[in-house]
């Protein structure tokens, strides 16, 4: 259970961190606010999962779990740690993930573990907003100008190989009776519909990258952690 | 009315009422016209046998920084009222909804210039009544606003931008 909670927490935290890099850099003010709102929601989710994990294990807390674990201990999905890229990368990543997370929380809100179910039910309402927002952007840019379409195709090339990790269960997911594999079909159906609207092809990759769930990361995660954890590493226990 | 017979149950009831009176004076730091009780954030007031007092609150939005400030405000208000052992716990289930905002709270929001949550506009869509000129000729600018709980609108009649408290 603990590993599963950390996987959920790490995934939300790392995507939150990536999205927060847009703060003050969004293409227009309203969208700057939107992406940072999403970052804040994800941070809130991460906190619930870390707090619960800390209560279960004892002798730790949410801050230690976020700031004092090493790269190999992080269990986030690889797709969340990839660089934010341009706006096309950011909105497409958010859509690919939010569509998955929406289905995931829909299931989890009925999980036999009451606390996990409560966090999922709470977060689902926020994810619905992320999903709607990112889906609109995918359609707008995919079916937009020649330039925006080209950028979406490039983003799709980069991100698609990281999508299948969401549906390949880790041992700790199976142990918690969570079946992520069954979310793949509805996810694919949603993709087919939205990509058609967006005038984007469904990539026919046969190769996918895995590893994040079990702690094998891309070269990007180390840099995120270095930035995020610097203060606590340099000044242990510092608060303000 | 509360009976004056000095039973334990009455004492308990009166004490709870005292605490509630204190909580009713604490305002939401992000929406300073609403108290935390009008927001529906306070779920329970519990006295424990070890003389500690527990306040159960529920978060509005997961990442909302106001929750930390509210926790601090509750502790401060109760300690200055003489309660020394105060514990504040969060309860997630059932998840908070905007239906828990009281009717008077919704009216205050409107008077403050924030369009109150309205089930007909969930998700947010064009047509939310402008809190300033009351026109329904309004346009959704963004589903995400200045705080996690609000969406951005513009009134096409009086031209003013305004916030809409999203149904949640």
């Amino acid at each position: 259970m603990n590993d599963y909670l950390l996987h959920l927490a790490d995934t939300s935290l790392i995507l939150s961190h990536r999205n927060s890099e847009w703060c003050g850099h969004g293409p227009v003010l309203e969208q700057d606010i939107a992406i940072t709102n999403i970052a804040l929601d994800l941070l809130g989710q991460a906190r619930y999962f870390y707090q619960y994990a800390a209560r279960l294990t004892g002798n730790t807390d949410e801050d230690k779990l976020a700031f004092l674990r090493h790269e190999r201990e992080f269990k986030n999905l690889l797709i969340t740690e990839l660089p934010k890229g341009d706006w096309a990368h950011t909105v497409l990543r958010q859509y690919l993930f939010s569509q998955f997370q929406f289905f995931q929380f829909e299931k989890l809100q009925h999980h036999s573990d009451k606390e996990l179910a409560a966090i999922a039910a709470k977060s689902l309402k926020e994810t619905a907003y992320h999903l709607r927002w990112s889906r609109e952007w995918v359609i707008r840019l995919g079916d937009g100008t020649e330039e925006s379409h080209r950028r979406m195709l490039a983003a799709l090339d980069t991100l698609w190989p990281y999508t299948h990790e969401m549906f390949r269960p880790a041992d700790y997911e199976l142990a918690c009776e969570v079946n992520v594999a069954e979310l793949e079909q509805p996810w694919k159906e949603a993709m087919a519909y939205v990509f058609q609207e967006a005038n984007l092809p469904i990539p026919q990759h046969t190769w996918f990258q895995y590893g994040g769930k079990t702690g094998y990361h891309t070269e990007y995660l180390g840099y995120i952690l270095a930035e995020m954890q610097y203060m606590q590493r340099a000044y242990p226990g510092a608060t303000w | 009315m509360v009976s004056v017979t000095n039973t334990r149950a009455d004492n308990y009831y009166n004490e709870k009422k005292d605490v509630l009176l204190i909580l009713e004076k604490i305002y939401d730091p992000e929406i300073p016209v609403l108290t935390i009780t009008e927001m529906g954030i306070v779920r329970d007031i519990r006295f424990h046998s070890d003389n500690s007092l527990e306040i159960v609150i529920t978060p509005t939005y997961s990442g909302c920084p106001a929750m930390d400030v509210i926790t601090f405000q509750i502790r401060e208000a109760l300690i200055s009222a003489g309660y020394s052992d105060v514990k504040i716990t969060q309860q997630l289930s059932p998840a908070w909804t905007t239906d828990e905002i009281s009717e008077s709270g919704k009216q205050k929001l409107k008077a403050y210039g924030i369009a109150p949550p309205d089930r007909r506009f969930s998700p947010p869509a064009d047509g939310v009544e402008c809190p300033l000129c009351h026109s329904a000729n309004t346009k959704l600018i963004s589903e995400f606003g200045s705080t996690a709980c609000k969406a951005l609108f513009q009134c096409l009649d009086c031209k003013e931008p305004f916030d809409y408290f999203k149904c949640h």
Side-chain angles (χ1 to χ4, degrees):
Chain A
M1 184 69 169
N2 194 49
D3 280 350
Y4 181 48
L5 290 173
L6 290 176
H7 158 65
L8 294 170
D10 292 343
T11 294
S12 292
L13 178 70
I14 298 301
L15 185 55
S16 169
H17 192 87
R18 276 298 187 220
N19 284 344
S20 72
E21 290 171 1
W22 280 104
C23 190
H25 301 276
V28 289
L29 180 62
E30 287 78 7
Q31 300 310 326
D32 190 302
I33 291 171
I35 193 73
T36 45
N37 260 256
I38 293 172
L40 190 60
D41 289 341
L42 290 167
L43 183 65
Q45 292 172 7
R47 290 190 60 188
Y48 291 145
F49 291 126
Y50 283 133
Q51 285 165 3
Y52 186 29
R55 277 204 303 281
L56 287 185
T57 45
N59 197 29
T60 186
D61 60 38
E62 52 176 329
D63 288 333
K64 285 185 188 147
L65 290 173
F67 294 125
L68 298 177
R69 283 183 308 135
H70 293 286
E71 193 182 345
R72 284 291 311 276
E73 295 170 280
F74 271 73
K75 296 169 180 44
N76 58 284
L77 294 170
L78 293 175
I79 195 170
T80 62
E81 70 198 46
L82 300 178
K84 75 182 196 307
D86 60 7
W87 191 247
H89 275 80
T90 289
V91 296
L92 181 63
R93 186 228 318 257
Q94 192 63 48
Y95 174 61
L96 298 171
F97 175 74
S98 291
Q99 185 71 71
F100 161 74
Q101 197 188 38
F102 185 82
F103 289 138
Q104 184 187 38
F105 285 161
E106 253 187 348
K107 290 274 181 200
L108 275 183
Q109 65 178 336
H110 305 298
H111 197 271
S112 58
D113 184 281
K114 290 281 167 275
E115 180 78 18
L116 186 57
I119 299 172
K122 177 88 196 151
S123 306
L124 181 62
K125 297 203 221 183
E126 293 153 6
T127 302
Y129 273 90
H130 310 166
L131 176 57
R132 224 166 28 239
W133 176 86
S134 57
R135 185 170 55 202
E136 281 171 13
W137 267 107
V138 167
I139 295 169
R140 184 176 299 131
L141 293 186
D143 193 31
T145 64
E146 211 174 292
E147 172 71 3
S148 72
H149 183 73
R150 184 187 65 74
R151 287 185 183 232
M152 285 302 281
L153 287 178
L156 199 52
D157 255 0
T158 310
L159 296 170
W160 194 259
Y162 295 92
T163 52
H164 199 255
E165 188 184 20
M166 302 189 280
F167 308 107
R168 198 159 88 167
D171 290 346
Y172 49 75
E173 285 174 307
L174 296 173
C176 290
E177 290 170 7
V178 172
N179 183 2
V180 282
E182 70 178 357
L183 306 178
E184 186 174 3
Q185 197 49 38
W187 185 85
K188 276 186 168 166
E189 282 164 20
M191 290 301 125
Y193 175 76
V194 170
F195 279 27
Q196 192 181 2
E197 291 280 299
N199 192 24
L200 293 169
I202 298 277
Q204 302 301 320
H205 278 282
T206 52
W207 179 84
F208 288 104
Q209 182 69 55
Y210 306 94
K213 284 182 175 181
T214 45
Y216 293 95
H217 292 279
T218 67
E219 62 270 37
Y220 302 113
L221 184 67
Y223 290 98
I224 298 179
L225 296 185
E227 187 182 356
M228 198 174 74
Q229 299 184 336
Y230 172 79
M231 281 295 283
Q232 279 305 314
R233 300 286 189 188
Y235 302 94
T239 56
W240 67 81
Chain B
M1 280 305 290
V2 186
S3 100
V4 286
T5 48
N6 193 13
T7 65
R8 285 172 67 133
D10 282 339
N11 274 342
Y12 189 75
Y13 178 79
N14 284 329
E15 270 201 83
K16 266 199 170 185
K17 213 171 63 175
D18 289 343
V19 171
L20 193 59
L21 283 173
I22 295 166
L23 299 180
E24 278 170 351
K25 293 195 185 77
I26 299 173
Y27 286 86
D28 182 308
E30 298 275 11
I31 306 160
V33 285
L34 288 194
T35 68
I36 58 172
T37 49
E38 284 170 322
M39 284 283 286
I41 291 171
V42 179
R43 283 269 164 93
D44 204 1
I45 296 166
R46 295 173 187 157
F47 291 98
H48 295 291
S49 51
D50 61 356
N51 279 330
S52 68
L53 169 60
E54 181 183 3
I55 309 295
V56 182
I57 58 173
T58 191
T60 51
Y61 278 73
S62 302
C64 185
M67 294 314 294
D68 289 338
V69 179
I70 288 169
T71 303
F72 179 76
Q73 286 173 321
I74 294 175
R75 185 181 305 283
E76 195 185 29
L78 290 171
I79 286 174
S80 32
Y83 297 91
S84 55
D85 193 356
V86 179
K87 191 164 67 178
I88 296 141
T89 50
Q90 283 201 6
Q91 185 194 64
L92 289 183
S93 182
W96 180 83
T97 92
T98 39
D99 298 339
E100 293 176 65
I101 301 178
S102 67
E103 205 42 53
S104 71
K106 286 179 185 159
Q107 291 310 315
K108 284 190 197 172
L109 272 178
K110 199 169 170 179
Y112 184 59
I114 298 172
D118 181 336
R119 283 279 158 215
R120 290 173 302 162
F121 301 100
S122 174
D126 295 352
V128 168
E129 189 187 298
C130 170
L132 306 166
C133 76
H134 309 296
S135 163
N137 184 20
T138 63
K139 187 169 175 285
L140 171 69
I141 302 293
S142 172
E143 288 196 28
F144 297 92
S146 56
T147 62
C149 54
K150 289 178 277 185
L152 285 175
F153 275 77
Q154 189 183 9
C155 177
L156 300 175
D157 282 336
C158 75
K159 310 293 183 201
E160 285 293 323
F162 65 91
D163 279 333
Y164 165 58
F165 202 115
K166 296 189 272 204
C167 271
H168 196 58

